[in-house]
């Protein structure tokens, strides 16, 4: 009776310790680790949001600078300062056009002395024209800094605070179009920053922000305090509430004084996520500690109860034996019955207890895994990893107990679900392969040829058996490897008999103890329990599950030489779904592959895989056999797959010797290694190995690697090194399987652009005008559209507007779901990239305003085209800063020099990746098309149809530029500009020069074709 308070005191102490541990852990996690980390991340994101807002305002200044530069360096403006010709005002300074097209509100043209030759301020939002004297009496005296320049290239751009609100302003010296002087004055251009402007910029940046004019607005006390802090700080962050942060910054005016206070409102979703993570971590910690305490309580209580019960029983039996033997015998029989009832009760209790504890423990593991993914602090990650490890060990024990109790109680019911055998085996291989690799073991999983892949059965239980057997094989294998094989051993009308084998090179099992391992709570040797751990239930559970699936589990083992566990199961399926598709067989029919591996079993397994895929494999175990195969003149080897570990000779050394042979120096080599080391990639490139994969390697990875290696080998020039194929390269090649719509009417440009895209791995559809582009968009989902601006029927601008209307659900042919697509594609904005030979300043803005997302000038290099496509396919288009891709080769100011050759053949050949025949065919096709275009141009010149001349000249310019015919490109540009000005007086002369250039190009192509 005296011991009870002691026991209660111990448990109270344990409960108190758990409570203290939880409180301390909660405080450390919440306030010392998680929340400070998320607070720092939140402030950094707020600063980035503010910078995006301020950058958006400054980009308007860059736009204004480009416009002002075009006007200031214009010969007509230069002459106007001299003669004040009113025709200049009537022809060019029409406010409705200027304000609507470019957003301009102010233009002043002044002489060097500061005298205003002409100046007006116009703002449609304030009623139209603003009196100049209301705005500024004299610009030269109002802002004298606008008239001081260090050089002819210098300019002044900035914010000007006026009585009408803030304005972006730019001043430049008035020079000739060539940028020469002397300066005749100053050209000043400005635009108001309206509230509508800031709203538009806020929508573009997706950050709600406001702007206060420090000249017109009166800051409240809080804003005044912010301005005081901004005098010494770059930005100020203020917590408004638990849901919102305010971040402040300032912009200076053109004189360097504070002008605008920029305020961005940032939702505090990062901090909310941090609190959620902290709560999850705390809850997980509490549940884990409570579960462990509960389990210890139950186990200790059960033990104490059993000891006391047995003690009382023994004492009673001894006492009864001293009185009467018969009564003792009856009591012993009754005790035996009670013991049997207790065993049954224990089984029921274990089943119920395991299930009840397993359910919350799964929740602990799930929450801890989620917290581990969100955690960025290393200390927090280590704590959560410890929780996961302990909870995982506990869950495995409980799962074994629950499974065994269910099997003994005949409560297991198998599922009958369809599944893909290859996908299930790949999943098992990935999971267990990582475990084997961490231990330094080889792991291979093989599906025999002709296996049925689409089956019906219980994939969860089948995976459980495989994982248990493979896990045991890895645990009891100190060195060597583990191999898994699946074979078809029988076929019936309604299903298949499959055999699964797990073979290892581990410690093995003595023959006399092999039968014991299938008994519950038993291992081959009690010492293994102490060394390797485990409950001794796994193999017993596996055998019971396999028997429920219509098969049996067996073991073949020899002590010190490894073990082989194999079992058969019956699964339903369809015979015609077995094996590889006929398409794969046809595409691989002529590929011969040499396998170099010193292990016959491993070599045969890989050969079986390759045969099932339609390849022709040959095997070799050592260097002598390799040389014999490579020297066989009647046999051609297309690919070599070799194992890194080849006994005394490493795979790298053998690869060097193969590369030293003239007959095999260009055969692609794939290297398979059990574990990679830092620097292996560099060694592969030095030797000339095209592919390097580390285990575990799934069958799908091997097949993809072979296809990628051969595709790159065939498309790579002899003098260009091929990039190393790794797991990352395979994944990247899979991501490159994007679908692109090319809208281009000119045949040469179609051919060149399509070639660049398809060799990069993209799928390409071609539309020859804007109307067919819109129709193709409604039929098929595309990841990106390359849009030529000038096309017949409907130009690129019209096609873009039609597509954007379809996306918004307001265009013709839209469906009821509002996604704007009749082809069932995703409801998303498809990136549209403009392609045009126009490279003049301001043209990119016109493309973007029409709904396009980016801009690339013709002619473009292959690398620039692929870079801009990768930019939009690999990034979130809503957050990408638009930087149009322009090339110096497309500059409209290019001087037209008549070189000895009519085109830069080497550069063109480089763009065609060294494919000379393809380049010559493309050039011939260009000449055939251009002859018809020249006939159209001659007739149009005779009839005075300037628009036709401009359109056809523009097409020739784009095609010749892509083919690097610089002189023809320049002449086409001159003819296009003349037609643009409606001045065809010089057109006949240019046409004659173009025809001469075509004759030179034709003769040059004929010469190249003969050589």
């Amino acid at each position: 009776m005296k011991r009870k308070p002691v026991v209660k005191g111990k448990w109270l102490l344990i409960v108190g310790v758990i409570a203290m541990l939880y409180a301390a852990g909660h405080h450390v996690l919440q306030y010392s680790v998680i929340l400070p980390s998320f607070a720092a991340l939140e402030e950094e994101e707020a600063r980035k949001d503010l910078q995006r807002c301020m950058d958006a305002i400054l980009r308007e200044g860059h736009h204004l600078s480009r416009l002002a530069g075009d006007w200031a360096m214009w010969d007509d403006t230069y002459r106007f300062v001299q003669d004040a010709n009113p025709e200049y005002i009537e022809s060019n300074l029409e406010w409705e056009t200027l304000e609507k097209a470019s957003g301009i509100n102010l233009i002043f043209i002044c002489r060097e002395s500061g005298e205003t030759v002409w100046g007006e301020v116009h703002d449609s939002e304030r009623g139209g024209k603003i009196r100049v004297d209301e705005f500024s009496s004299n610009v030269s005296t109002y802002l004298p800094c606008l008239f001081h320049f260090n050089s002819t290239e210098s300019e002044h751009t900035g914010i000007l605070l006026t009585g009408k609100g803030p304005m972006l302003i730019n001043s430049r010296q008035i020079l000739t179009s060539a940028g020469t002087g002397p300066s005749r004055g100053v050209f000043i251009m400005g635009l108001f920053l309206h509230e509508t402007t800031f709203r538009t910029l806020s929508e573009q940046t997706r950050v709600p922000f406001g702007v206060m004019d420090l000249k017109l607005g009166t800051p409240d006390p809080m804003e005044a305090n912010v301005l005081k802090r901004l005098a010494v700080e770059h930005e100020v962050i203020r917590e408004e509430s638990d849901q919102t942060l305010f971040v402040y910054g300032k912009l200076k005016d053109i004189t360097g004084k504070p002008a605008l206070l920029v305020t961005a409102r940032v939702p505090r979703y990062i901090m909310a996520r941090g609190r959620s993570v902290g709560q999850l971590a705390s809850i997980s910690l509490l549940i884990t500690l409570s579960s462990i305490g509960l389990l210890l309580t139950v186990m200790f209580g059960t033990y104490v109860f059993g000891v006391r019960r047995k003690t009382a029983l023994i004492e009673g039996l001894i006492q009864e034996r001293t009185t009467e033997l018969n009564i003792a015998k009856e009591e012993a029989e009754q005790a035996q019955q009670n013991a049997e009832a207790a065993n049954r009760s224990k089984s029921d209790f274990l089943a119920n207890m395991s299930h009840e504890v397993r359910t919350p423990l799964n929740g602990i593991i799930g929450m801890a895994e989620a917290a581990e993914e969100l955690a960025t602090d290393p200390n927090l990650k280590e704590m959560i990893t410890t929780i996961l490890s302990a909870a995982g060990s506990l869950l495995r024990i409980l799962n074994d107990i629950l499974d065994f109790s269910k099997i003994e109680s005949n409560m297991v019911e198998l599922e009958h679900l369809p599944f893909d055998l290859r996908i299930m085996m790949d999943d098992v291989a990935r999971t267990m392969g990582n475990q084997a690799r961490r231990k330094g073991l080889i792991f291979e999983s093989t599906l025999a040829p002709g296996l049925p892949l689409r089956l019906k059965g219980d994939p969860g239980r089948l995976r459980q058996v495989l994982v248990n057997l493979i896990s045991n094989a890895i645990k009891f294998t100190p060195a060597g490897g583990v191999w898994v094989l699946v074979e078809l051993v029988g076929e019936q009308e309604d299903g298949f008999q499959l055999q699964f084998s797990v073979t290892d090179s581990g410690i093995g099992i003595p023959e006399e103890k092999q039968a014991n391992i299938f008994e519950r709570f038993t291992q081959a040797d009690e010492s293994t329990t102490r060394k390797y751990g485990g409950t001794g239930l796994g193999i017993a559970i596996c055998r019971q599950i396999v028997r429920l699936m219509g098969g049996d589990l067996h073991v073949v083992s020899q002590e010190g030489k490894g073990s082989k566990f194999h079992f058969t199961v019956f699964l339903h399926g369809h015979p015609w779904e077995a094996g590889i598709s006929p398409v794969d067989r046809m595409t691989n029919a002529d590929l011969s592959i040499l396998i170099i591996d010193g292990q016959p079993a491993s070599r045969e397994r890989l050969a079986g895989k390759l045969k099932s895929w339609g390849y022709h494999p040959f095997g070799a175990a050592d260097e002598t056999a390799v040389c014999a195969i490579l020297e066989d003149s009647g046999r051609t080897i297309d690919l070599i797959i070799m194992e890194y570990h080849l006994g005394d000779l490493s795979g790298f050394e053998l690869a060097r010797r193969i590369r030293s042979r003239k007959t095999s120096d260009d055969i692609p080599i794939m290297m398979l290694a059990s574990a990679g080391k830092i620097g292996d990639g560099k060694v592969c490139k030095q030797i000339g190995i095209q592919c390097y994969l580390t285990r575990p390697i799934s069958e799908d990875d091997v097949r993809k690697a072979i296809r990628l290696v051969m595709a790159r080998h065939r498309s790579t020039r002899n003098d260009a090194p091929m990039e190393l194929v790794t797991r990352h390269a395979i994944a990247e090649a899979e991501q490159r399987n994007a679908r692109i719509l090319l809208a281009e009417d000119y045949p040469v440009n179609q051919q060149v652009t399509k070639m660049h895209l398809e060799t990069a791995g993209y799928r390409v559809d071609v539309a020859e005008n804007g109307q067919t582009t819109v129709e193709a968009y409604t039929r098929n989902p595309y990841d990106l559209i390359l849009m030529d601006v000038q096309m017949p029927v409907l130009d690129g601008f019209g096609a873009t507007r039609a597509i954007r209307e379809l996306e918004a659900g307001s265009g013709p042919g839209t469906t009821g779901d509002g996604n704007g697509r009749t082809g069932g594609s995703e409801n998303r904005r498809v990136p549209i990239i403009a392609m045009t030979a126009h490279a003049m300043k301001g043209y990119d803005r016109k493309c973007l305003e029409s709904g396009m997302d980016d801009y690339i000038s013709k002619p473009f290099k292959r690398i620039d085209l692929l870079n801009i496509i990768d930019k939009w396919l690999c990034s979130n288009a809503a957050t990408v800063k638009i930087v149009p891709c322009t090339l110096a080769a497309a500059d409209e100011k290019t001087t037209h020099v008549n070189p000895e050759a009519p085109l830069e053949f080497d550069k063109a050949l480089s763009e065609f990746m060294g494919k000379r025949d393809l380049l010559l065919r493309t050039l011939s096709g260009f000449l055939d098309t251009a002859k018809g275009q020249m006939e159209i141009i001659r007739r149009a010149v005779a009839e005075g149809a300037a628009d036709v001349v401009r359109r056809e000249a523009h097409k020739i310019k784009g095609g010749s530029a892509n083919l690097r015919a610089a002189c023809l490109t320049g002449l086409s540009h001159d003819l296009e500009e003349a037609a643009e000005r409606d001045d065809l007086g010089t057109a006949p002369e240019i046409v004659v020069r173009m025809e001469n250039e075509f004759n030179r190009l034709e003769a040059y192509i004929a010469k190249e074709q003969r050589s």
Side-chain angles (χ1 to χ4, degrees):
M1 298 298 295
K2 295 180 179 180
R3 294 182 179 180
K4 292 184 178 179
V6 176
V7 174
K8 290 182 178 178
K10 289 182 178 179
W11 286 112
L12 289 175
L13 178 62
I14 292 174
V15 172
V17 170
I18 292 176
M20 292 177 62
L21 289 174
Y22 169 71
H26 171 77
H27 187 275
V28 171
L29 287 174
Q30 191 81 1
Y31 299 102
S32 301
V33 179
I34 297 177
L35 292 182
S37 301
F38 278 86
L41 179 61
E42 181 183 64
E43 291 183 4
E44 183 62 25
E45 289 298 315
R47 293 187 180 94
K48 291 180 180 178
D49 288 344
L50 174 67
Q51 191 59 46
R52 282 202 296 271
C53 299
M54 299 175 72
D55 289 344
I57 297 174
L58 296 178
R59 279 198 298 273
E60 293 295 309
H62 298 327
H63 165 61
L64 178 65
S65 174
R66 291 197 301 270
L67 290 175
D70 290 341
W71 283 75
M73 289 188 292
W74 187 20
D75 292 337
D76 289 353
T77 305
Y78 195 80
R79 290 191 295 270
F80 175 74
V81 177
Q82 188 73 19
D83 55 22
N85 184 5
E87 184 177 336
Y88 174 86
I89 304 299
E90 296 173 1
S91 301
N92 301 289
L93 300 176
E94 205 281 314
W95 279 111
E96 183 177 357
T97 301
L98 286 171
E99 188 173 7
K100 183 176 181 181
S102 304
I104 301 305
N105 301 109
L106 174 145
I107 293 180
F108 275 81
I109 301 176
C110 307
R111 293 192 173 90
E112 286 287 330
S113 61
E115 175 187 0
T116 301
V117 179
W118 185 88
E120 280 189 9
V121 184
H122 193 279
D123 189 358
S124 59
E125 290 195 11
R126 293 188 173 88
K129 185 175 181 181
I130 299 176
R131 290 172 50 190
V132 175
D133 57 350
E134 289 181 1
F135 181 79
S136 172
S137 58
N138 190 302
V139 176
S140 62
T141 58
Y142 187 79
L143 285 175
C145 65
L146 296 175
F147 285 76
H148 295 285
F149 302 94
N150 297 327
S151 64
T152 56
E153 291 83 12
S154 62
E155 62 174 314
H156 300 292
T157 302
I159 298 172
L160 181 67
L161 298 181
T162 72
K164 299 296 183 179
M167 169 179 279
L168 278 173
I169 197 163
N170 177 272
S171 67
R172 290 174 175 268
Q173 297 182 74
I174 298 176
L175 305 170
T176 65
S177 296
T180 60
S183 171
R184 286 188 175 176
V186 178
F187 185 88
I188 303 174
M189 180 177 284
L191 58 87
F192 282 111
L193 297 174
H194 299 296
E195 291 183 2
T196 56
T197 303
F198 295 129
R199 283 198 298 271
T200 300
L201 296 177
S202 179
E203 292 174 357
Q204 291 176 358
T205 59
R206 297 188 177 183
V207 179
F209 74 95
V211 178
M212 186 181 77
D213 188 334
L214 295 179
K215 179 176 182 180
L216 299 180
T218 302
D220 58 27
M222 182 274 295
E223 291 172 337
N225 182 53
V226 168
L227 289 171
K228 184 177 180 181
R229 291 177 59 186
L230 285 174
V232 294
E233 299 177 23
H234 190 265
E235 65 271 321
V236 174
I237 299 176
R238 180 175 64 87
E239 297 183 3
E240 177 70 13
S241 65
D242 289 341
Q243 289 78 33
T244 308
L245 274 183
F246 281 90
V247 56
Y248 300 87
K250 65 180 179 180
L251 291 174
K252 297 180 180 180
D253 66 6
I254 200 165
T255 63
K257 298 178 180 179
L260 300 177
L261 177 64
V262 181
T263 306
R265 186 173 70 254
V266 182
R268 304 191 68 180
Y269 63 88
I270 295 179
M271 205 61 189
R273 180 65 61 84
R275 295 189 183 93
S276 299
V277 171
Q279 293 172 0
L280 288 175
S282 299
I283 293 172
S284 299
L285 179 62
L286 175 61
I287 294 174
T288 301
L289 293 174
S290 301
S291 300
I292 294 173
L294 176 62
L295 181 61
L296 292 174
T297 301
V298 173
M299 294 175 64
F300 184 78
T302 303
Y303 174 78
V304 172
F305 174 79
V307 170
R308 289 179 177 177
R309 183 178 180 84
K310 290 179 181 179
T311 301
L313 181 60
I314 293 172
E315 290 175 353
L317 290 174
I318 294 174
Q319 187 177 6
E320 291 296 332
R321 279 183 186 180
T322 61
T323 59
E324 191 175 340
L325 182 60
N326 292 332
I327 297 176
K329 183 178 180 180
E330 292 176 358
E331 289 179 351
E333 292 174 352
Q334 184 63 41
Q336 183 178 359
Q337 294 175 4
N338 292 340
E340 291 174 355
N343 281 334
R344 289 192 296 272
S345 299
K346 182 185 69 174
S347 296
D348 294 338
F349 168 76
L350 288 176
N352 294 328
M353 184 273 292
S354 298
H355 180 77
E356 294 300 326
V357 176
R358 184 174 179 264
T359 300
L361 194 56
N362 277 323
I364 295 173
I365 294 175
M367 290 298 182
E369 287 175 345
E372 185 182 39
E373 292 178 359
L374 295 174
T376 57
D377 183 77
N379 295 328
L380 176 59
K381 268 189 174 292
E382 183 177 356
M383 294 172 66
I384 298 175
T385 301
T386 303
I387 294 173
L388 280 172
S389 178
S393 299
L394 183 59
L395 181 61
R396 284 191 292 273
I397 296 173
L398 291 173
N399 282 341
D400 286 347
I401 296 173
L402 180 60
D403 281 337
F404 193 81
S405 62
K406 281 185 175 181
I407 291 172
E408 280 198 329
S409 303
N410 295 320
M411 296 174 58
V412 174
E413 294 183 2
L414 295 179
E415 299 282 356
H416 195 63
L417 303 173
F419 69 100
D420 190 297
L421 180 63
R422 186 189 301 280
I423 293 176
M424 189 205 73
M425 292 302 298
D426 284 349
D427 180 56
V428 172
R430 279 192 297 271
T431 302
M432 305 311 298
N434 290 330
Q435 183 177 340
R437 188 173 66 253
R438 286 194 295 269
K439 196 174 178 180
L441 302 177
I442 296 173
F443 182 85
E444 290 185 357
S445 174
T446 303
L447 299 181
L451 271 178
L453 299 181
R454 294 295 298 166
L455 301 167
K456 279 189 176 182
D458 193 333
R461 289 293 181 181
L462 184 58
R463 186 184 188 280
Q464 178 184 353
V465 173
L466 285 170
V467 169
N468 197 304
L469 295 178
I470 297 171
S471 179
N472 281 343
I474 294 172
K475 179 165 60 174
F476 296 108
T477 302
V482 177
W483 297 269
V484 182
L485 175 64
V486 186
E487 300 173 285
L488 178 64
V489 295
E491 183 173 347
Q492 302 176 15
E493 291 182 358
D494 58 341
F496 305 90
Q497 197 80 16
L498 302 184
Q499 177 172 285
F500 296 78
S501 304
V502 178
T503 307
D504 65 70
S505 58
I507 62 176
I509 305 171
E511 185 176 356
E512 66 274 14
K513 296 182 179 180
Q514 290 179 11
N516 295 339
I517 64 174
F518 295 101
E519 299 296 328
R520 57 180 180 173
F521 305 104
T522 304
Q523 291 189 341
D525 190 339
E526 291 300 325
S527 63
T528 61
T529 304
R530 295 190 297 271
K531 182 176 181 180
Y532 297 99
T535 62
L537 286 174
I539 298 298
I541 293 172
C542 288
R543 168 169 272 188
Q544 295 297 329
I545 293 174
V546 169
R547 286 177 174 176
L548 288 173
M549 300 177 75
D552 203 354
L553 177 61
H554 305 278
V555 61
V556 177
S557 181
Q558 186 176 354
E559 188 175 8
K561 294 187 178 181
S563 305
K564 176 183 178 180
F565 285 83
H566 59 92
F567 64 93
T568 56
V569 294
F570 181 83
L571 298 170
H572 294 275
H574 303 284
W576 56 83
E577 291 185 357
I580 191 170
S581 66
V583 176
D584 286 342
R585 292 186 182 275
M586 289 187 295
T587 57
N588 300 325
D590 298 327
L591 200 62
S592 298
I593 301 178
L594 173 60
I595 305 171
I596 306 175
D597 192 335
Q599 299 294 328
S602 177
R603 190 169 63 247
E604 290 301 321
R605 278 192 293 269
L606 181 55
K609 291 180 188 178
L610 298 178
K611 286 181 181 178
S612 69
W613 299 338
Y615 299 118
H616 302 293
F618 302 92
D622 50 31
E623 184 181 6
T624 303
V626 171
C627 294
I629 293 175
L630 294 178
E631 290 175 357
D632 187 354
S633 59
R635 179 181 295 167
T636 301
I637 300 299
D638 301 301
L639 175 68
I640 297 175
I641 301 179
M642 62 189 306
E643 176 67 34
Y644 177 80
H645 298 284
L646 296 173
D648 297 334
L649 186 66
S650 72
F652 283 154
E653 181 59 30
L654 181 56
R656 286 190 180 94
R657 298 181 185 182
I658 291 174
R659 283 287 177 253
S660 65
R661 304 172 63 88
K662 293 184 179 180
T663 57
S664 58
D665 57 355
D666 62 341
I667 301 176
I669 298 178
M670 286 178 56
M671 180 74 72
L672 308 181
S674 297
K677 302 189 299 295
I678 297 176
D680 280 358
K682 183 178 180 181
V683 176
C684 288
K685 292 181 179 180
Q686 292 173 347
I687 297 174
I689 296 174
Q690 284 73 23
C691 178
Y692 184 77
L693 298 179
T694 57
R695 290 183 174 86
I697 308 170
S698 68
E699 293 184 13
D700 196 41
D701 286 341
V702 174
R703 183 158 49 180
K704 289 176 181 177
I706 292 174
R707 291 177 177 175
L708 185 56
V709 167
M710 297 310 299
R712 289 187 175 181
H713 176 67
R714 290 163 182 161
S715 63
T716 303
R717 294 179 299 169
N718 294 332
D719 58 343
M722 196 181 96
E723 294 184 5
L724 184 66
V725 174
T726 60
R727 292 184 189 275
H728 177 75
I730 295 172
E732 185 178 356
E734 288 294 302
Q735 294 174 355
R736 275 275 177 98
N737 192 25
R739 191 169 186 178
I740 296 176
L741 178 59
L742 171 62
E744 170 66 66
D745 65 315
Y746 199 59
V748 172
N749 293 341
Q750 288 178 357
Q751 188 174 4
V752 173
T753 307
K754 186 178 181 183
M755 177 197 65
H756 289 335
L757 296 175
E758 288 182 342
T759 54
Y762 297 111
R763 294 179 295 165
V764 184
D765 294 337
V766 178
E768 65 276 4
N769 60 58
Q771 184 62 42
T772 57
T773 300
V774 177
E775 293 172 357
Y777 169 80
T778 60
R779 291 193 303 268
N780 301 304
Y782 290 101
D783 300 284
L784 183 138
I785 299 176
L786 291 171
M787 184 76 72
D788 185 30
V789 173
Q790 291 188 344
M791 291 185 293
V793 185
L794 182 67
D795 64 11
F797 297 120
T800 299
R801 286 191 293 268
I803 291 173
R804 294 305 183 217
E805 289 174 0
L806 288 171
E807 289 175 338
S810 60
T814 57
T815 58
D817 60 1
N819 64 5
R821 300 291 295 272
T822 60
S825 64
E826 300 177 358
N827 183 17
R828 61 181 179 84
R829 177 186 173 97
V830 60
I832 300 178
I833 300 175
M835 300 188 307
T836 178
H838 286 293
M840 63 185 67
K841 294 180 180 179
Y843 203 79
D844 54 347
R845 184 178 178 86
K846 182 179 179 181
C847 294
L848 301 178
E849 289 175 347
S850 71
M852 300 178 185
D853 298 288
D854 216 330
Y855 172 92
I856 183 170
S857 295
K858 298 177 183 177
F860 43 74
K861 295 181 180 178
R862 177 177 183 271
I863 185 62
D864 295 297
L865 176 65
L866 297 182
N867 282 342
I868 199 171
I869 289 175
D870 285 343
K871 162 186 167 183
W872 285 97
L873 290 183
C874 299
S875 305
N876 182 358
T879 61
V880 173
K881 180 180 179 181
I882 298 176
V883 183
C885 179
T886 57
L887 304 174
D891 192 353
E892 301 292 349
K893 303 299 180 182
T894 302
T895 303
H896 311 313
V897 181
N898 186 13
E900 294 181 0
L903 80 160
E904 296 175 284
F905 191 81
D906 290 340
K907 289 185 178 180
L909 187 61
S910 175
E911 284 297 300
F912 276 69
M913 296 172 292
K915 299 179 180 179
R916 179 186 179 90
D917 293 340
L918 178 60
L919 173 58
L920 292 175
R921 288 198 304 271
T922 304
L923 286 168
S924 299
F926 168 69
L927 285 177
D928 293 340
T929 303
K931 288 178 182 178
Q933 291 176 306
M934 289 302 298
E935 184 62 31
I936 295 174
I937 289 175
R938 280 193 294 270
R939 289 199 301 268
V941 170
E943 296 171 0
D947 188 60
V948 175
V949 174
R950 178 193 58 77
R951 184 180 65 245
E952 297 301 321
H954 179 81
K955 293 180 180 179
I956 295 176
K957 180 182 71 172
S960 60
N962 275 333
L963 296 173
R964 296 297 183 262
C967 187
L968 185 58
T969 303
L971 292 171
S972 304
H973 167 69
D974 293 341
L975 183 59
E976 181 186 13
E977 278 200 338
E980 188 77 37
R981 297 191 305 269
D982 200 11
D983 179 14
L984 298 181
T986 60
E989 178 186 353
I990 299 175
V991 169
V992 171
R993 294 174 61 190
M994 288 178 66
E995 290 175 338
N996 292 335
E997 196 60 28
F998 272 118
N999 292 334
R1000 286 204 322 126
L1001 184 58
E1002 187 173 21
Y1004 183 84
I1005 295 172
K1007 178 182 176 182
E1008 289 294 328
Q1009 288 175 336
R1010 291 192 301 268
S1011 62

